[in-house]
Amino acid sequence: MRIQLPQRTLLSMTLSLLFLNMARATRGCSSSSAQLLSQLLNQANITGNTESLMEPYLLLQGLNTTTLRAACTEHPVAFPSEEDLRALSKPRFLNTVHATLGRVWHQMGALRQQFRNIKDFPELKRARGNIQGIRNNVYCLAQLLHHHLEIPEPTQAGSEALPSTTTPSIFQAKIDSCRFLWGYHSFMGSVGRVFREWGDGSSRRRRHSPQHSLLRGWRKGARRIRPSRSSQGSKSRVQVPR
C-alpha cells in the first residue's frame, strides 16, 4: 500500500531536514567550495519557493484571494534585482546576499508581532533558521575566496519590519508584509539562479583536461605569430588547427 502525502506536508518535512543540516553547518565551515555551492543552491531553491513562507502567511491572514494576491505581487518590497546581482563580482555578490539576508532576518522577527500565538505560524521560525544557515554558508564560501565580508553595524532601524512614516492599519500591515515576503522569495530565486551559473561554470572548467587547456593556449599563441619574409614567399602555409 502506497501512502501519498500532501505537497505541503512533503515541503514541511524537506524544510525540517534542511533546517537540521543548516544547524549543523553553523558549527564550522566546509573546506569544499563545491559542497558549499551545492548547499547554497539547494537552500536558495527551497527558500525561493513561496510555499515555504508566503503561502502559509496568506492563509493565516485571510489574504488568499485573487485581488489581495495581486496587491502583494504587483508592488513588492524592493530587493536587489537579478540584473544587478549578475553584474556584481563574486565577492560583492556574496557580500550583498549576506547583508540583505541580515536585514530580512530582523524584519521577519518583527512579523511575530502580528500573531497572538506564534505557534500558529511555525514556518516563520523555520525561515529565520534557514536564513542563518544560508548566511553561514555564504560566510564560509567568502572565506574560501579569501574575501572578508563587510558586516554592517547593527542599528535600531534594522530591527523594524518595514520603513514607514505613519502607523499603518492592521490590514495595510498585512499587505506590506506579504509584499515583503514576495520580494524575499523573488530575491532568493534570483540568488539561486546566480549560484547555478557558478556551478555550471565550475563543471565546465573541470571537464577541460590539461591537454585541452594546453592546446587552447597554443592556439592563442599561434595566432599571434607573424610569418617571416621567407615563409611569405613560400607556397605552403601553416594552418592553425581549429
Side-chain angles (χ1 to χ4, degrees):
M1 182 177 178
R2 196 173 185 179
I3 301 176
Q4 292 185 349
L5 297 176
Q7 183 177 3
R8 185 173 177 182
T9 302
L10 290 173
L11 179 63
S12 179
M13 294 172 62
T14 303
L15 290 174
S16 297
L17 292 174
L18 181 63
F19 177 77
L20 291 176
N21 291 333
M22 289 178 174
R24 294 169 184 168
T26 57
R27 300 174 185 173
C29 287
S30 170
S31 59
S32 170
S33 60
Q35 181 181 5
L36 287 172
L37 191 58
S38 176
Q39 290 178 358
L40 282 167
L41 179 57
N42 291 333
Q43 292 165 349
N45 287 340
I46 291 179
T47 53
N49 188 343
T50 58
E51 291 283 348
S52 66
L53 191 60
M54 180 178 170
E55 293 297 334
Y57 179 83
L58 293 177
L59 292 174
L60 285 172
Q61 299 293 49
L63 303 177
N64 191 26
T65 68
T66 302
T67 301
L68 295 179
R69 279 177 172 273
C72 293
T73 59
E74 290 177 358
H75 305 284
V77 173
F79 279 81
S81 68
E82 185 167 337
E83 182 180 1
D84 291 339
L85 292 175
R86 292 178 184 276
L88 297 174
S89 63
K90 287 187 177 181
R92 293 296 301 170
F93 171 78
L94 293 175
N95 195 84
T96 299
V97 173
H98 192 272
T100 301
L101 290 182
R103 292 190 293 269
V104 170
W105 187 85
H106 286 290
Q107 292 169 353
M108 284 187 180
L111 282 179
R112 292 177 297 185
Q113 301 174 5
Q114 297 184 15
F115 300 91
R116 293 181 179 179
N117 188 356
I118 194 58
K119 293 182 179 180
D120 295 335
F121 194 23
E123 293 86 355
L124 181 60
K125 180 180 180 181
R126 190 179 300 123
R128 298 187 82 206
N130 291 343
I131 288 176
Q132 287 181 317
I134 295 173
R135 295 183 79 225
N136 182 76
N137 278 341
V138 168
Y139 171 83
C140 292
L141 187 57
Q143 294 297 305
L144 290 180
L145 294 176
H146 305 290
H147 170 66
H148 297 285
L149 295 175
E150 299 174 5
I151 308 298
E153 293 293 331
T155 60
Q156 185 176 0
S159 62
E160 297 178 1
L162 294 170
S164 177
T165 56
T166 59
T167 302
S169 64
I170 296 178
F171 175 75
Q172 185 60 47
K174 294 180 180 180
I175 295 295
D176 290 343
S177 295
C178 77
R179 289 173 176 172
F180 157 68
L181 294 178
W182 174 253
Y184 158 69
H185 287 304
S186 300
F187 171 72
M188 291 310 301
S190 298
V191 169
R193 285 185 287 274
V194 173
F195 277 135
R196 185 178 299 109
E197 290 183 358
W198 288 19
D200 292 342
S202 298
S203 298
R204 284 194 297 269
R205 284 192 296 271
R206 285 194 297 269
R207 286 196 298 267
H208 289 315
S209 64
Q211 182 179 2
H212 177 81
S213 299
L214 182 61
L215 178 61
R216 183 174 54 183
W218 177 83
R219 287 175 177 173
K220 291 181 179 180
R223 291 192 184 100
R224 290 194 296 266
I225 299 175
R226 295 183 179 180
S228 62
R229 292 182 179 179
S230 59
S231 63
Q232 286 178 352
S234 175
K235 293 183 182 180
S236 60
R237 294 181 180 178
V238 178
Q239 295 182 352
V240 178
R242 296 182 179 176

